[in-house]
Amino acid sequence: MAERITVIMANWCGASYLATAIASLRRQTVSDWRLIISDDGSDDDSVAIAQDFARQDPRIDVLTADTSSGPATARNRALERAKGEWVAILDSDDLMHPERLKRMLEGAETLGADVIADDMVFFGTVPGSGGRTLLEPMSLVAPLEITAKLWVEAAAPETELPPLGYLKPMIRRAILGDLRYDPDLRIGEDFDFVLRLLLKGAKFHALPDPMYLYRRHNASISHRLSPAAIGAMIRAQQRLSEGLDPAVAAQLAARHRGLRKMADFEALVANLKARQFAAAAIKIARRPSLAQDVLRSLAERRKGKDATGPERRAVRVSLGAEEGADVLADEIATASVAEKMHVSVPKPVAPGAMWASPPAKMAAKLSALSEANDVIPEALDGAGAWARWLLPQWAQEQA
């Protein structure tokens, strides 16, 4: 039977997390999927792990490369092999709720979407990684239509919108045609790819359902944007700047200014590291705000190094739709919670329908609990059984 969904997983040296990512896909409540793992020249045990899963499950294929060419090229190799009606993205260090693909399929059908995404629950080994979701600031209870204007606006500097470019979409393969990721982009390739889809007329909806667990760890956040990477992002955007709707063009211009400032900042950092103080002084004189940006960056790095997080302990958490004495956010932060607690969770609704309350609030609380404690969940009802998969620690232990 041909797969309905082709899941694309680009991987580079992800041996530490690859098995749990694959396991989260194999737990899906839909079975007509095919996974294409496109390894990007890893020098760890990634390929061996992937090939071991492929021997166990005929739905898994592994593509290898001798050298690393970046995530865009790795995904393009997988796209050439895709045969499903839908193409879904799963990164090799992330996790999915067991009902994610099923609910996204149903949501896309209900909404008539060409592209469908969901909210992302943040977690990780770096202190402060968890306790939030990507779309939480928007307090969504119903699907959000994402237009090209909104997509670019969310990537512009000083916006109050969350960075929608982080979303991991599922895309109707028919709308892709010959569109592929830009191989010159090592960073921002997702933003560029989806923007070109939207400019082609693709209809994109984001569900409020928090079903994608996004891992943050030292390797995923330690890289800095190089001048070459920023230059590639600027060139990619310039290729899209002709014949656009004026509102989209205005947002792209704002993003362009932000990228230019980012390039200046990285050049200044390079001058300071090389002790080229005269060149650094010239850059600051031309753009005084760069000095504040450097000080802010140093303060954030120092804060990250000093953060140790609260002392972990085992906590039993009951999850259910019934009202109860919910644990409070400040109790999580100070680890002053009781050894038993209750978290009220909204009942999942039909994909595409309206939730009774923003599910992101509940998901963020569970992520914070999982980051600060060794959580032992107890599902009181169906809503609780659905929600416990949003506890990153518990979801990983089920692999």
Side-chain angles (χ1 to χ4, degrees), residues 61-231:
D61 293 333
V62 182
L63 307 179
T64 60
D66 294 332
T67 59
S68 174
S69 301
T73 298
R75 286 181 182 166
N76 284 343
R77 284 196 297 266
L79 276 176
E80 294 299 327
R81 302 285 190 94
K83 297 180 180 179
E85 177 187 354
W86 293 88
V87 174
I89 306 299
L90 171 62
D91 284 349
S92 62
D93 50 0
D94 296 337
L95 304 167
M96 295 194 298
H97 189 287
E99 294 186 21
R100 181 179 188 248
L101 294 182
K102 176 178 180 291
R103 291 180 64 84
M104 289 176 75
L105 282 172
E106 293 175 358
E109 183 177 349
T110 298
L111 299 165
D114 301 304
V115 185
I116 191 88
D118 53 353
D119 198 2
M120 307 174 76
V121 182
F122 288 83
F123 76 105
T125 57
V126 179
S129 296
R132 60 194 177 97
T133 81
L134 181 71
L135 301 180
E136 184 182 8
M138 305 181 83
S139 298
L140 296 181
V141 294
L144 170 71
E145 183 173 3
I146 298 179
T147 63
K149 178 181 180 296
L150 180 62
W151 185 256
V152 179
E153 184 181 359
E158 299 178 2
T159 182
E160 295 183 358
L161 294 169
L164 300 177
Y166 278 82
L167 293 172
K168 301 298 179 185
M170 187 171 74
I171 303 163
R172 195 183 299 274
R173 193 164 64 91
I175 198 71
L176 282 176
D178 59 358
L179 191 147
R180 297 293 183 266
Y181 288 89
D182 187 334
D184 292 335
L185 292 173
R186 294 265 179 160
I187 296 175
E189 72 281 355
D190 299 296
F191 171 85
D192 173 77
F193 183 72
V194 173
L195 177 57
R196 285 185 284 134
L197 272 174
L198 291 170
L199 294 177
K200 283 181 62 173
K203 187 176 180 182
F204 187 177
H205 284 275
L207 301 174
D209 309 30
M211 299 183 293
Y212 190 97
L213 278 62
Y214 179 79
R215 187 193 304 269
R216 300 179 75 242
H217 49 88
N218 288 327
S220 68
I221 66 172
S222 61
H223 65 272
R224 298 196 65 89
L225 279 173
S226 67
I230 299 173

Side-chain angles (χ1 to χ4, degrees), residues 309-313 315 329-338 372-373:
E311 182 179 351
R312 299 181 65 85
R313 59 174 172 171
V315 176
D330 58 347
E331 293 177 326
I332 297 172
T334 59
S336 62
V337 294
N373 306 278

Side-chain angles (χ1 to χ4, degrees), residues 303-319:
K303 181 180 179 181
K305 290 180 179 179
D306 294 342
T308 58
E311 182 179 351
R312 299 181 65 85
R313 59 174 172 171
V315 176
R316 295 185 179 275
V317 178
S318 59
L319 305 169

